[in-house]
Amino acid sequence: MNDNLHQLRCFGCGARISGSEVKPDFRCVDCGDLFEVEYPGWAQRKSLDRPNAGALKWLWRERRCSSEALDHSGVWRFRELLPILDSFGNAVSLREGNTPLYALPRSAKALGMDQLFAKHQGMNPTGSFKDTGMTAALSVARERGFQWVACASTGNTSAAMAAYAARAGLRSLVLIPEGKIAWGKLSQAMDYGAVTCQLKTDFDGCVRVLTEIVREAPIYLLNSVNPYRLEGQKTPAIEIAEALDWNVPDHLIVPGGNLANSSALGKGFQEMRELGLVARIPRITVVQAEGANPLVRSFRESRGAEMQPVEAHTRATAIRIGNPASWRKAARVVQSTDGWVLEATEAEIAVAKAELGAEGLGCEPASAVTLAGLKKLRAAGTVGDSETVVLVLTGHTLKDADYTIDFHRGTLLRAEESAGYEREIAALRREARNVDATPGAVLAAMKEAAS
Ligand SMILES: *Cc1c(COP(=O)(O)O)cnc(C)c1O
């Protein structure tokens, strides 16, 4: 059986090629732009390849009770919408996806809203949404017979890649810039057996070296220029629609780094509408850190037509990217859904993260830009009281415990960074206290904290 129904379309010049024709750097030979996966059989209404919306909703629900391993994946449960493999038997899964959609009653109340949710992608097997993309793209690598996979990353991509490679019995290579290493996240890549090389260059330099390597040697590139990653990363859009009984939220708010995730979620909603699974599409808003805001500048200066790379600075390491590869795709998603592009300062990110923590939901600082962005949309009156909003929390709080501890100890932000936010920060900080080892002293500490 051939489960493969896809082709690749260049996002820049529109050239179409088969999946096996693409160059190892995933760039178009004519214009250098990125590719996007498309399914030609979906376009004609009478085509036998076009999925039937009613049947799919029923089938996907049935699979929740299935005993087949592939059906337990929150990515491959929706495999009719990602027919990218010759055989789904080649899928490499760690039971990713099926992440919770949590209500946020406290934040909703503070913002005067009724319908606020968080889609927590940090609840994936390696702790970030990268797993949903990695299960898709690494399965393609395995099916095409690669022995080695590689990425340039200091964070979550390498953790996800190394885990899925280990499950598939493939070797993995991680290139990191020397001296700028997030050891907390890299510990996962090491544990899952990746070959990790520190290069005397920055992140962009690592990407350049890796691009040359994959042109020479049979190594499969798993950075988010690989369009199959986006096919996995679009599936949370399906989960959100399913959880809301096939109504879509009015707004979806997503952090922006390399800008693949916002692009993928937009693709997911657009395909669902084309296939008649949902009637409309949410407005998709991308939020960047103020110190790593090339898309914000692009919209300010040219409405998303041009983008100049910036030097990126933010403690939210997962979005510390100055030259995002997928910016054109993300710009198109924001424009076509009537969304916004916003930025959040370091203090706004830290406060939002602590507020989510106070609701019992830990996330990475990069994820908290979504709540910081929503506050701005509410203040500007662009999100209504009764509109439904979903924040995409991209990573787990334990990915960057140093950040959280620094916040609560009061060492995270410099005085000029926290200016104007001192009271909010003071109200959210919870320092560990040194207390005598007696019941009386502990009870006194509780009393003091309650007052
Ligand atoms: C990768 C990542 C992002 C950024 O996603 P892009 O697709 O690069 O925009 C945001 N948050 C976390 C936790 C991530 O791992």
Side-chain angles (χ1 to χ4, degrees):
M1 183 180 88
N2 190 342
D3 295 325
N4 200 337
L5 300 171
H6 86 282
Q7 65 188 19
L8 300 178
R9 179 178 175 278
C10 173
F11 201 78
C13 68
R16 290 187 165 87
I17 59 174
S18 77
S20 55
E21 285 171 302
V22 72
K23 295 286 175 240
D25 63 1
F26 292 102
R27 295 276 174 184
C28 174
V29 286
D30 294 325
C31 73
D33 212 328
L34 300 179
F35 285 96
E36 171 165 77
V37 176
E38 78 177 1
Y39 305 101
W42 294 5
Q44 299 101 30
R45 293 213 171 260
K46 296 225 176 70
S47 162
L48 289 177
D49 291 338
R50 184 179 159 93
N52 175 290
L56 283 183
K57 289 178 187 176
W58 181 85
L59 177 67
W60 293 339
R61 182 178 295 257
E62 286 293 294
R63 282 186 184 150
R64 289 204 203 149
C65 311
S66 158
S67 55
E68 216 185 297
L70 208 55
D71 294 340
H72 295 168
S73 162
V75 170
W76 299 105
R77 185 158 72 87
F78 304 108
R79 54 192 175 268
E80 288 74 17
L81 295 203
L82 51 157
I84 55 175
L85 299 173
D86 291 341
S87 164
F88 288 123
N90 288 322
V92 184
S93 173
L94 280 165
R95 298 201 186 187
E96 53 290 320
N98 293 322
T99 55
L101 185 69
Y102 294 118
L104 294 175
R106 288 170 70 165
S107 298
K109 192 161 172 237
L111 289 166
M113 304 173 57
D114 332 312
Q115 300 289 331
L116 176 58
F117 300 93
K119 177 69 173 166
H120 203 332
Q121 294 299 99
M123 306 298 268
N124 271 293
T126 78
S128 84
F129 76 80
K130 301 295 196 301
D131 293 342
T132 57
M134 208 48 79
T135 186
L138 195 127
S139 300
V140 173
R142 172 157 93 171
E143 187 171 87
R144 296 194 186 160
F146 284 88
Q147 302 291 314
W148 278 89
V149 293
C151 71
S153 157
T154 60
N156 290 331
T157 298
S158 52
M161 179 187 76
Y164 282 85
R167 296 301 292 178
L170 306 186
R171 304 297 311 276
S172 64
L173 170 71
V174 173
L175 296 191
I176 55 172
E178 188 183 69
K180 294 165 201 148
I181 309 152
W183 285 107
K185 291 180 185 181
L186 255 186
S187 66
Q188 289 180 290
M190 294 171 167
D191 223 20
Y192 305 137
V195 174
T196 305
C197 298
Q198 303 187 59
L199 308 187
K200 282 196 192 346
T201 176
D202 59 5
F203 175 80
D204 291 326
C206 290
V207 171
R208 271 196 301 278
V209 170
L210 189 55
T211 305
E212 279 179 43
I213 293 175
V214 299
R215 283 186 190 137
E216 317 247 305
I219 302 173
Y220 194 71
L221 181 64
L222 283 172
N223 276 72
S224 61
V225 295
N226 183 319
Y228 301 109
R229 289 235 340 244
L230 277 67
E231 292 308 287
Q233 286 173 206
K234 77 187 181 186
T235 56
I238 312 173
E239 289 186 349
I240 291 167
E242 186 187 49
L244 299 176
D245 214 8
W246 304 103
N247 295 304
V248 299
D250 298 296
H251 298 270
L252 186 76
I253 306 183
V254 192
N258 223 358
L259 297 170
N261 202 34
S262 37
S263 307
L265 294 166
K267 186 173 194 278
F269 278 109
Q270 266 148 11
E271 288 177 352
M272 276 194 284
R273 187 176 61 179
E274 272 156 36
L275 293 172
L277 284 154
V278 296
R280 57 189 187 89
I281 294 184
R283 290 184 170 207
I284 298 182
T285 291
V286 175
V287 191
Q288 297 193 298
E290 190 186 56
N293 64 352
L295 193 70
V296 174
R297 289 168 188 237
S298 159
F299 271 71
R300 208 182 279 150
E301 285 152 25
S302 67
R303 293 166 167 235
E306 310 282 334
M307 190 209 67
Q308 300 300 326
V310 303
E311 204 182 291
H313 299 282
T314 169
R315 289 276 317 249
T317 52
I319 52 173
R320 190 164 65 197
I321 292 174
N323 189 14
S326 295
W327 74 272
R328 277 184 204 283
K329 292 184 182 180
R332 178 96 45 100
V333 163
V334 170
Q335 287 158 350
S336 66
T337 66
D338 268 331
W340 290 273
V341 179
L342 304 172
E343 61 193 340
T345 66
E346 295 298 295
E348 289 165 347
I349 296 170
V351 166
K353 180 175 139 41
E355 286 170 342
L356 289 164
E359 296 221 37
L361 296 182
C363 66
E364 268 194 56
S367 312
V369 297
T370 55
L371 180 58
L374 173 61
K375 290 187 200 172
K376 296 189 175 184
L377 293 177
R378 280 295 287 165
T382 34
V383 169
D385 300 354
S386 55
E387 288 191 299
T388 304
V389 176
V390 174
L391 310 179
V392 179
L393 303 185
T394 44
H396 198 282
T397 183
L398 294 178
K399 288 279 192 174
D400 196 351
D402 285 346
Y403 181 101
T404 310
I405 290 171
D406 287 349
F407 175 80
H408 289 287
R409 283 193 181 141
T411 56
L412 181 74
L413 301 170
R414 295 191 308 272
E416 64 270 26
E417 288 175 321
S418 50
Y421 292 88
E422 292 89 351
R423 284 181 54 197
E424 273 176 272
I425 290 171
L428 287 160
R429 274 180 56 201
R430 294 287 179 272
E431 255 189 293
R433 302 150 189 261
N434 291 322
V435 175
D436 285 343
T438 65
V442 173
L443 289 169
M446 287 172 67
K447 205 168 164 190
E448 194 195 316
S451 66

